[in-house]
Amino acid sequence: MSIRLSRRELIRRSLLAAIGTGISGLLAACGDRGATPTAAPASSPAATPTASAATPTPQPQASPTQPQGTPSPEAQAGAWDEVVAQAKQEGELVLYDGHGGALPTIGYAAEQFTNDFQIRVNVSTMRASEALERVRVEQQSGQGVADAVTVGITMVYQMLQDDVVQPIGEIPGLERVSPEILAQVERVGTEYQRYAVWEALQFYGILVNTQLVSPDAEPRSWRDLADPKWRGQIIMDDPRAIGGGNYFFTVSLKTFGREFQQALAQQQPVLTRNIADSANRVARGEFALMVPFAFGLFAQIKDLPTVKVIIPEEGAIFALHGISIPKAVRHQNAARAFVDYLLSDKVQQHLAANYLRPAVDSAMEAAPPEVRDLLSAKLWGTLDDPAAVREIIAVAQEIYP
């Protein structure tokens, strides 16, 4: 089964790896120089790795110096079968879920992958900003813990800047990705196709408590959020950190200007980074509105009579959701196998059932009508210039000190 790692456990693993490095160095310095090294015994699948540094496991991919001919389908299938076989030998992987709980499918995929492949997935859920910082520190110290990390465009950009991410390589599921999804990625840059696999589009609207907000008082436009009647009644995903709140801030800043965000700040929204619980707080009546609301959270509250989702007249904000592999990892093949698994029918259909636009068109077509209707919403905008994120966050910090 999949296991969720606590922060204490992650720190413990990093410390054990660091201690292992020190001991290995002392033994090397004091040992017999003429001794012949012996192979280490194979570890059990559930064992926690104690290697002194995270190094990629060799994988059956063509060398850059080899001829660039296209392998036959049989050769490609055989190479991938070897990846899966090595993944099962590795027996586990550590996944940082930087979506902050906004994609329940990630936990589902971890459990199903464990059941289908007998490869344990240790999941730790956190904000994108925290996942990025952990990966950066681990990779720069040579003590990698995460084997895979869920990402958005901004996070991949930062990982490329820090040189802490590796190319995904060829995986079977890539040929199933919708041209619509690929086009959205290409708008930002082709490098984002090489260093991540994008399994879904997350849409953002506004969540409304129907007992606190009458139909005629509902926001019709994103601009309506600046109305003084919402003072103290909005819970908002923090725009000062990477995530949905920053996407909303970026798109509205570009379209409406700084004045809109300044007016919204005057309504004293409660800023939060615990987005998974924010929807429940609106459902309980603690707040009238959640801004922006990730559709991926809708499944957990859609049957409650106190909430509804509004897509303002400008359209829904959207974000690409994907997964990347840090540059040096301990479970290279298990990570690649899990990345491919996110494009499987089972996972893609689960994404659609949880109100995310799946990357595979057939999963979208198989979704219930009410899901397809919501995911066919007009799109307003997204964050398409990751290089400007730091500057945008600085503006958000000025407006929301």
Side-chain angles (χ1 to χ4, degrees):
M1 60 180 179
S2 64
I3 296 177
R4 295 196 175 273
L5 297 180
S6 66
R7 287 178 170 81
R8 179 176 295 178
E9 175 62 14
L10 290 168
I11 293 171
R12 185 186 73 82
R13 288 190 177 202
S14 297
L15 289 174
L16 285 175
I19 293 171
T21 302
I23 292 175
S24 298
L26 289 172
L27 289 176
C30 299
D32 183 359
R33 295 184 180 180
T36 302
T38 57
S43 59
S44 65
T48 300
T50 56
S52 61
T55 54
T57 302
Q59 50 186 300
Q61 296 184 33
S63 166
T65 60
Q66 291 176 331
Q68 296 300 307
T70 301
S72 67
E74 293 78 9
Q76 290 177 332
W80 186 253
D81 287 344
E82 180 61 23
V83 170
V84 174
Q86 291 186 29
K88 290 181 177 181
Q89 289 183 350
E90 292 168 0
E92 68 173 326
L93 70 138
V94 174
L95 171 66
Y96 287 175
D97 180 12
H99 295 326
L103 252 71
T105 296
I106 295 300
Y108 168 82
E111 293 177 359
Q112 295 301 310
F113 181 78
T114 298
N115 293 337
D116 291 347
F117 290 92
Q118 291 75 55
I119 300 172
R120 186 175 65 187
V121 184
N122 304 301
V123 183
S124 185
T125 301
M126 60 194 75
R127 289 281 301 198
S129 52
E130 180 181 355
L132 174 62
E133 184 60 23
R134 288 192 183 195
V135 169
R136 178 189 292 127
V137 170
E138 291 169 9
Q139 292 295 309
Q140 292 178 348
S141 66
Q143 304 298 333
V145 174
D147 299 300
V149 56
T150 59
V151 296
I153 288 291
T154 302
M155 189 163 171
V156 175
Y157 170 81
Q158 295 292 346
M159 292 172 74
L160 285 168
Q161 294 298 302
D162 295 331
D163 193 26
V164 295
V165 63
Q166 63 171 283
I168 292 293
E170 292 296 325
I171 63 172
L174 285 175
E175 64 183 18
R176 308 181 68 217
V177 176
S178 165
E180 178 184 344
I181 301 293
L182 294 176
Q184 293 293 348
V185 179
E186 288 177 359
R187 285 180 55 198
V188 186
T190 56
E191 65 270 28
Y192 296 95
Q193 291 185 355
R194 186 182 180 202
Y195 288 93
V197 166
W198 305 97
E199 78 273 4
L201 283 182
Q202 175 80 271
F203 290 3
Y204 295 91
I206 300 172
L207 185 68
V208 176
N209 181 292
T210 56
Q211 293 182 339
L212 299 177
V213 183
S214 63
D216 59 346
E218 294 171 357
R220 299 288 188 265
S221 164
W222 290 99
R223 288 182 184 274
D224 293 341
L225 296 173
D227 192 314
K229 71 181 180 182
W230 302 121
R231 187 179 179 89
Q233 298 190 62
I234 299 174
I235 185 166
M236 190 164 78
D237 190 356
D238 194 341
R240 302 167 300 182
I242 298 172
N246 186 253
Y247 274 69
F248 164 61
F249 185 88
T250 300
V251 175
S252 61
L253 186 70
K254 180 179 180 180
T255 306
F256 299 151
R258 186 183 180 115
E259 295 77 13
F260 166 73
Q261 283 292 337
Q262 290 173 328
L264 179 56
Q266 291 300 311
Q267 310 321 314
Q268 299 180 349
V270 173
L271 304 185
T272 180
R273 300 189 183 186
N274 186 0
I275 58 175
D277 187 53
S278 297
N280 294 324
R281 298 181 70 181
V282 172
R284 291 194 298 264
E286 294 181 39
F287 297 93
L289 308 175
M290 177 180 173
V291 180
F293 173 70
F295 284 15
L297 297 172
F298 189 47
Q300 71 186 39
I301 58 169
K302 67 183 179 65
D303 295 327
L304 299 177
T306 58
V307 292
K308 67 181 292 187
V309 176
I310 292 176
I311 302 174
E313 60 189 24
E314 293 87 357
I317 295 165
F318 66 98
L320 283 156
H321 279 345
I323 187 166
S324 292
I325 301 175
K327 193 168 188 178
V329 298
R330 291 186 171 86
H331 307 105
Q332 174 81 12
N333 297 288
R336 294 187 67 224
F338 183 76
V339 168
D340 183 67
Y341 193 73
L342 291 184
L343 298 175
S344 67
D345 287 339
K346 182 184 291 188
V347 174
Q348 287 290 299
Q349 290 171 8
H350 192 274
L351 282 164
N354 282 273
Y355 296 89
L356 284 105
R357 200 300 186 192
V360 177
D361 285 336
S362 60
M364 179 71 166
E365 295 164 0
E370 65 273 14
V371 173
R372 293 200 305 271
D373 288 346
L374 198 58
L375 295 181
S376 298
K378 172 185 174 182
L379 300 181
W380 183 25
T382 188
L383 192 159
D384 53 13
D385 184 9
V389 167
R390 289 187 180 179
E391 179 181 345
I392 292 171
I393 287 179
V395 175
Q397 289 171 339
E398 292 175 4
I399 297 176
Y400 299 94

